[in-house]
Amino acid sequence: MNQFSVDLTNCDKEPIHIPGKIQAHGFLIAVHKNDFHITYVSENINYFLSKQASGLLDQPLSALDHLLTQQEPEFNIEDLLKLGIIRKNFDAINPHPINIDKKPYYITISESENNWLIEFEPVTLQYDIQGIIGRSASAMLQGRSVSSLLKGAALEVKKLINYDRVMIYKFLNDGHGEVVAEEKNDELEPFFGLHYPASDIPKQARELYKLNLTRLIADVNEQDSDILTYLTDQPLDLTKSNLRAVSPIHIQYLKNMGVYSSFSISLISHGELWGLIACHNYSPKFIDYKAREGAKLIGQILSSALEYRQDEEDSEMVEQFKSTAAILSEYLSQDKYLIDALTDHQRNILSITNATGAAIIFEKRLKTIGQVPVDEDILELAEWLKTSNDESIYYTHRLSEIHSPAKKYKDIASGILACNISKDLGEMIIWFKPELITTINWAGNPDKEVVLSENGLLNLSPRKSFEAWSEVVSNTSEKWMAEEIASVLRIREIIITDVNKKANEIRLLNEKLQSAYEELDTFSYTISHDLRTPLTSIKTYAELMLKNKSLDDHAIKMLSRILIGADKMNFLIKEILNLARVGRSEINFETIDMPSLIQEIKSEVWAAFKADKSELILGHLPNIKGDRTMIAQVFTNLMSNGVKYSLMVEKPVIEISAYIEGGETVYAIKDNGIGIDNRYYDRVFELFKRMDNVKEIEGTGVGLAIVKRVVERHHGRVWFESKLNAGSTFYVAFKNLQ
Ligand code: ADP
């Protein structure tokens, strides 16, 4: 007897393979493998063989022969069993026909741990089914698409077993099932498209579906027959039995649906249970063994056809992804910019997955393709990914549940698949999939299956109501397939190899550039140095000549011009020497007392430009670490420019202050002078470049080039903000060294 009671804590553990009973339309005996003595027998055997079941226990199998030979003189059941054992396979003898009381029966033999199971069931089919199955199989295989294949299979199974309803039920990723094809009598309401919660078919039942490919429940109201045994505490394993009794929970479940008889055929793909062909009849109906075998064959043919079609579709997709990756790899080697190589062509990074949009963030640029959220949202998402995810790849099909800001663009991007190119730099590619608002039509409310039993315990009860109950599933995109993830990893590898290759090329170029710079510095240094001596001579001789009293005005004028020119040249040479020095000299890091440095520079600069009317406002001036001489040069140049380019305004004001942020000390040197036209933003720091609005003002165009070089050698940054005729602010940021 099955003592097992099911509640919420153990429902998945209900031992449905050892129910201790069989369905009563047939009978069963089991014999021990060692001595062929009868170990188990179903109580209903007396109904079929007029022999008390208990009297057979522990008897040799030949005891049964005696009963059977009354019907079939030639028959010896032990010989039949031995034949199967010798062949190591019972397929050839199953089913073996026999008459009992002039009625035809089939004997089927299977294995159960230490026993052989011998089952007897009635024969009801009076014609040969082979031909029908052959025709059914070829009709079914005419379907080219997966859905027509499924529909064809349902139709053929319905023809074969003539049940009221035949459904093909597919298990989805989370274990719940969907009716994907259906053939039914016209008067029945359709179940096509309905979903069933995973708990409707518990785990251990699925395992049995894998081991025993067909399952008949001939009549839910039929009283089961107990299995008797003298072996205590050793229930008979009925995994492979045809007659195994049904779990009371499942019987109740079928009754709730009004089903009297059910038959299912397992569909296996790649060793896993893909789904079931589930057949329902609204009156009791027994299916003959051969018809069941025929249906099983159709199931097997369908399984392999499904496997083949699915593989075919998958491999087409993988081929497409792979060929795109190869093409992109080619573009990467041809195109100068990585982003353009990945997005500018007809085959682009969008084609390596089934995404509908993609974004690349690389070298501080963002480029998108297809359907994507707005730039700010993508950048915010990228920042979140950077901080919250350490893996090289991240994906979800329910983004807004994990990252709430994504709610506002869930229609475009409920699914993301992101891969890092460089985690430190926050460089990455993100693919997007839109929200799929799906309506799941459950067969009854799946959440309402737990009820309180009379004794107050929580009992697992199959749903009583099977009226369709819709649930709208939002915030969810189509799932990312394993093939898409593999494809992204493939392209990531290609990109990283390319980035490294280009970085190496750039490093080599940099090294060359560095030595060219050094040569140029040496050259400018020598040239400037060598020019100074002849220039000093020119100046000295011109001054000597000027002392000559006999010179006329014209000569004096010319000599004065020579002197002015020589002074200008001298100044320029000094500036170039300064620039060359920045490149050549070692940096001696020290803490620089900024308030005193700035005061020193102020005196010099204000004297040089006679800038008494210019006001200097000083803010917070934190110390920085750097080479004092070089930093002095930076501030001299920036403060000189501030003063020089604001002298023409009525009340020139120069402001210097600093703030500390993100590991940097940032100095701002602000003036209210003539400003800079932003169109020339990039040119301001170039050597000898001067803007159009400063033609009347003395200058060489070297000062900011020196600033830039010093700052770069200190691994800092320099930039400015300016407005024409309103003033400029130059910023220099220095790293806060320990
Ligand atoms: P210059 O010797 O001409 O001042 P710089 O290299 O110091 O050379 O500056 C390059 C150019 O940038 C200047 O010629 C000028 O046009 C512009 N510039 C620099 N600083 C300022 C400023 N504070 N206000 C306006 N223009 C400026």
Side-chain angles (χ1 to χ4, degrees), residues 15-26:
I16 56 176
H17 62 301
I18 47 167
K21 301 175 190 183
I22 56 163
Q23 298 179 54
H25 56 263

Side-chain angles (χ1 to χ4, degrees), residues 601 604-605 609 629 631-641:
I601 298 173
E604 277 172 33
V605 171
F609 288 100
T629 318
I631 299 293
Q633 182 86 65
V634 167
F635 280 85
T636 307
N637 292 1
L638 292 176
M639 286 163 70
S640 302
N641 283 350

Side-chain angles (χ1 to χ4, degrees), residues 474-488:
S474 53
N475 307 330
T476 307
S477 76
E478 192 184 79
K479 279 194 175 170
W480 297 98
M481 286 183 281
E483 288 78 8
E484 293 177 289
I485 293 160
S487 174
V488 162

